[in-house]
Amino acid sequence: MKIKPEIRDRILNAARELVAEGVETPTNDQVREKMGKGSLTHISPVMREWKEQRKTEIAAALEMPAELKRVVETSLAQIWTAASKLANAGIEKLREDAQSKIDTAEQELVEALSEVSRLEAEIESLKSKSLECEQKGEVVEKQLSKLTTENSALHARVDDRSIQVENLKSELKEARADNKALQKELIAIAKGKNSKSKNN
């Protein structure tokens, strides 16, 4: 089909504008929409030719001299080493911080549980004394109420520390997973670059 030069130019201009806007591979419908109107019977063959020509241009642009390839490979190795060190240092610092917080929270939890046990024993002792000393019931009742309140507060503290320990363990687990994912990405990038270098 003979396509007028002005129509061909409009189609190609629309395709180039779409690429400039970030559309890597414009479709025929996108080109028609960019033009505002047009026939797919005109757009389709022009776009086929343009895409083939663009592939050739991109392939030519991607070719690089052997010396540049060596520089890229050396740089990639250096980047990989630096990124690995940073990733490992970051996860190790995060692990140490999280473990320190976990240890502190667990220690506080042990202390709180010990205090709970002590208070509960004291409550039981006071209950026993209150039965023996009814005349001092009011005083004992106040002490019992106070200790019961303290016990409730410590129970709440224990629950809070338990939640904090679990959250810190979860954060540590996520950090380890993030580190593994980062290392996999770096390996994939390195393999991709090496594969591209071999193909070229």
Side-chain angles (χ1 to χ4, degrees):
M1 174 188 293
K2 180 83 171 168
I3 300 173
K4 293 180 180 179
E6 57 269 22
I7 295 176
R8 178 183 292 274
D9 289 343
R10 286 183 59 215
I11 294 169
L12 294 175
N13 287 338
R16 292 186 189 109
E17 288 177 15
L18 286 167
V19 170
E21 291 170 4
V23 180
E24 186 64 27
T25 309
T27 64
N28 294 343
D29 288 333
Q30 288 173 319
V31 169
R32 181 168 62 178
E33 184 178 345
K34 187 72 176 175
M35 292 169 63
K37 62 179 180 177
S39 169
L40 288 177
T41 56
H42 291 155
I43 294 171
S44 182
V46 174
M47 285 298 293
R48 272 199 302 273
E49 291 176 14
W50 178 76
K51 286 176 182 177
E52 287 301 320
Q53 182 180 357
R54 192 158 179 264
K55 282 181 185 177
T56 303
E57 292 172 353
I58 291 173
L62 290 175
E63 290 181 4
M64 63 176 69
E67 182 64 28
L68 181 56
K69 286 181 183 178
R70 283 194 293 273
V71 171
V72 169
E73 289 170 357
T74 302
S75 298
L76 181 61
Q78 292 172 345
I79 290 169
W80 165 254
T81 301
S84 294
K85 286 181 180 178
L86 286 173
N88 289 333
I91 193 63
E92 183 60 24
K93 179 68 170 64
L94 184 60
R95 188 195 67 76
E96 289 175 359
D97 290 346
Q99 191 60 53
S100 176
K101 290 178 182 177
I102 288 171
D103 292 342
T104 300
E106 286 180 340
Q107 180 61 36
E108 290 179 359
L109 180 61
V110 169
E111 292 172 0
L113 287 170
S114 176
E115 183 66 8
V116 166
S117 297
R118 187 190 70 77
L119 287 171
E120 287 177 343
E122 193 171 343
I123 287 170
E124 289 303 316
S125 176
L126 285 171
K127 283 181 179 178
S128 178
K129 288 180 181 178
S130 70
L131 293 173
E132 297 172 1
C133 308
E134 289 185 3
Q135 68 276 16
K136 296 181 180 179
E138 183 177 350
V139 175
V140 172
E141 193 64 35
K142 286 181 180 179
Q143 290 178 338
L144 181 62
S145 176
K146 179 183 176 183
L147 289 170
T148 301
T149 301
E150 290 178 3
N151 187 45
S152 297
L154 280 168
H155 271 296
R157 185 179 171 191
V158 167
D159 292 341
D160 181 62
R161 292 304 180 196
S162 296
I163 291 170
Q164 186 177 358
V165 168
E166 290 305 316
N167 287 342
L168 287 169
K169 287 180 178 178
S170 177
E171 288 177 10
L172 181 57
K173 184 177 179 181
E174 289 176 5
R176 286 173 176 161
D178 288 344
N179 184 48
K180 287 182 180 179
L182 177 58
Q183 288 181 344
K184 286 181 180 178
E185 282 186 35
L186 289 171
I187 289 169
I189 290 171
K191 286 183 177 179
K193 291 289 185 181
N194 289 335
S195 175
K196 184 177 287 187
S197 297
K198 290 178 181 179
N199 290 336
N200 289 334

